[in-house]
Amino acid sequence: IAGITQAPTSQILAAGRRMTLRCTQDMRHNAMYWYRQDLGLGLRLIHYSNTAGTTGKGEVPDGYSVSRANTDDFPLTLASAVPSQTSVYFCASSEISGSTGELFFGEGSRLTVL
Amino acid sequence: GQNIDQPTEMTATEGAIVQINCTYQTSGFNGLFWYQQHAGEAPTFLSYNVLDGLEEKGRFSSFLSRSKGYSYLLLKELQMKDSASYLCAVWDSNYQLIWGAGTKLIIKP
């Protein structure tokens, strides 16, 4: 049982470089999310998608973009990485209806921008 | 603005009981979640409350008072493996999840 798979698990990146974090789920969930988690702060929503073909901005979207071409995949792209984007990134998914809306998380991607 | 408050850190003894509080101020309310997160790992779901009262699930219980904007997570018979951060999150009126910063629970023998 895979659930949600993120890649890479860890990456060191030079400032200015482009980076895509991959996220794939096999639970056929409609909704997917990207969060960043920084020490002392709660999970902050970057972007979300309620269904394939649609995306929305979260609390901290600047410098990030997403796409949702199909139900399973939800990649997050940093067009030109900056040191303030050093963080742990979590991808998550949930059903919208018929459940408590519990989020299932991937194992996280630790990104360091130098 | 929307806000969720929980203590930053708590310490408890193995075998004891601990209560982790969460207060919230959000634009609307559609439910409250508690998640557990071990260091270096992903958050995992513990409980969901949408109605007032206590939900019990084994050694863990979660309480909600919507009129007070208050919840707590009660952990009984503490075990060393319960050392983790506990995250409180509220679904607002737009079904956006608002997260607290988490409470780091340290269990001592």
Side-chain angles (χ1 to χ4, degrees):
Chain A
I1 299 176
I4 295 186
T5 302
Q6 290 185 231
T9 55
S10 181
Q11 182 76 45
I12 299 174
L13 188 66
R17 296 297 294 269
R18 180 183 179 89
M19 178 72 194
T20 295
L21 303 179
R22 300 184 297 280
C23 175
T24 301
Q25 55 111 352
D26 63 2
M27 296 176 284
R28 308 302 293 173
H29 284 167
N30 286 318
M32 296 188 76
Y33 313 84
W34 274 105
Y35 287 94
R36 60 178 291 173
Q37 188 175 40
D38 302 290
L39 196 64
L41 299 176
L43 287 162
R44 292 185 292 169
L45 183 65
I46 304 170
H47 285 288
Y48 65 94
S49 170
N50 286 332
T51 189
T54 68
T55 63
K57 294 182 179 181
E59 180 185 357
V60 288
D62 295 343
Y64 306 94
S65 63
V66 292
S67 61
R68 188 85 185 278
N70 56 61
T71 298
D72 299 343
D73 301 300
F74 191 44
L76 176 74
T77 297
L78 289 68
S80 179
V82 295
S84 62
Q85 291 178 312
T86 294
S87 187
V88 180
Y89 292 85
F90 287 102
C91 180
S93 72
S94 70
E95 296 179 8
I96 291 290
S97 61
S99 72
T100 64
E102 163 191 355
L103 262 63
F104 295 82
F105 286 85
E107 290 304 308
S109 296
R110 184 175 296 275
L111 184 66
T112 302
V113 183
L114 302 176
Chain B
Q2 308 204 87
N3 192 54
I4 294 184
D5 287 318
Q6 20 177 165
T8 303
E9 186 174 298
M10 299 181 70
T11 302
T13 304
E14 189 177 16
I17 299 173
V18 71
Q19 177 175 311
I20 302 174
N21 295 326
C22 170
T23 58
Y24 62 89
Q25 293 175 309
T26 56
S27 55
F29 178 86
N30 280 305
L32 184 144
F33 295 85
W34 284 97
Y35 282 79
Q36 181 189 59
Q37 186 177 25
H38 286 102
E41 297 183 8
T44 55
F45 172 80
L46 284 178
S47 69
Y48 170 71
N49 294 68
V50 66
L51 300 176
D52 290 351
L54 188 68
E55 295 278 345
E56 297 186 77
K57 191 183 294 184
R59 294 189 298 114
F60 292 8
S61 303
S62 56
F63 171 83
L64 174 67
S65 169
R66 289 173 296 171
S67 62
K68 296 181 178 179
Y70 168 70
S71 172
Y72 68 72
L73 180 70
L74 191 71
L75 291 73
K76 302 177 184 176
E77 301 170 14
L78 287 170
Q79 302 175 10
M80 297 304 293
K81 68 179 182 179
D82 297 330
S83 292
S85 289
Y86 292 85
L87 314 181
C88 175
V90 171
W91 249 346
D92 69 9
S93 56
N94 295 317
Y95 286 94
Q96 296 294 319
L97 259 184
I98 312 300
W99 294 85
T103 298
K104 182 178 181 180
L105 179 63
I106 299 168
I107 309 297
K108 296 185 174 180

